[in-house]
Amino acid sequence: MPVGKKMHGLLTSIAKFTLIFEPMSKNLQDPSLRSWIEVKPDSDFPIQNLPFGMFTDGKTDPHACCAIGEYVIDLQKLHELSYFNNIPLPVNVFARTYLNDFIGLGKETTGALRARISELLQTDNKQLQDNKADREIVFKFQKDVTMLLPVRIGDYTDFYSSIDHATNVGKMFRDPENALLPNWKHLPVGYHGRASSICVSGHSFHRPKGQTKPTDAPPVFGACKLLDFELETAFIIGRSTQMGESVSTDKAGEYIFGMVLFNDWSARDIQTWEYVPLGPFLAKNFASTMSPWIVTIEALEAFRVKGYKQEPKVLPYLEYSGKKNIDINLEVYIKPENSEAARVCESNYRYMYWTMEQQLAHHTVNGCNINVGDMMASGTISGPEKHQFGSMLELSWRGTNPLKMKDGSERKFINDHDTVILRGWCKKGDLRIGFGECAAKVLPAT
Ligand code: CA
């Protein structure tokens, strides 16, 4: 055998040897992993995902859970049945209404738990697979349970980080030639939102009321006429900081637990009148919808792509290295009452100009502290093409271009009894990691 070939063989053996001894957490995303639980190829929840949520079956208190295929796995029950004995977990950590205490244990523990769940679900592991009694206790069909708000959100921040969205809005309301404001490419613009009205997917809410201003008349009070969705994602903070501390772009990943889909409902007519000079207020805080499953940032690493080319160069505290955007396909559907849902938007998270790491570095650069469970939303995510716009404001171009529904009706904005559904997933080869659904229904104003 030629020396080169021998050498190659030796190196391959070393590589294989090294792989075996890599920590478990590194291999959770291996596309070849399979579970003894059946997972359909188009499922959002293969064994490589294992997102976290909170559920109730209506009989017991809320428990934390993971998703696999069409099931939820009750983590509190698994814990009580001693499946997590080697992981340092408080006794009732999965039975505490929200995931905050669990997330707050830190990535070493939450990562070890995810690795253990993956291990228990893998084809060759018989421990749970062969224990029918335990299986019946811990698995429930997703269709039979109610998903709850997964985290207690202390503070909610909304950014404005999609360049196509900011450009579209600038063109419509300001200067078509000079759409972006002077600060936009120098910092991730954002504002502090309200956490009390963030609801989990599946809720409904009444059309908001408020002040609007007809063009040539005094302001009037009434139901919002231009109700809109905003296609967003949000990340959940997994580690707190002290006041005065800043998080660098390179360390930001350690503070991000995971991501959800997020519909940041907006009352456009109320917004136009109220937002000067302090920005969003009642047009934004009447309801927001988040998806129930927090997909861990680790599950999304395989889908990292290059970030947006940022010109002009950003200030040093906003610089980052490596691939920081993520290839997440995003869709929006409108489902009128008694009709099929129509897809109105296909966008992608990769169109974000500012990354999560930059948003977090900017948010904390002044010493502002963050807490486990805080939520930071992307801002409306639009792509460059017309069918990729992430709001009705842009899709209908301020109402000048109505969209057709499957029942023949038209939409410039969102009607009463419409349900708006966001979906999101990543795909690379056979590996598909999804977010589930983020849906909410609009009821008439009270
Ligand atoms: Ca928003």
Side-chain angles (χ1 to χ4, degrees), residues 156 158-160 165 191 230-232 262-266 268 284 377-380:
Y156 155 50
D158 192 21
F159 285 95
Y160 187 56
H165 172 67
Y191 70 96
E230 288 188 341
L231 168 62
E232 303 196 16
F262 192 65
N263 182 350
D264 189 31
W265 293 94
S266 296
R268 299 295 181 200
K284 296 283 186 175
S378 57
T380 307

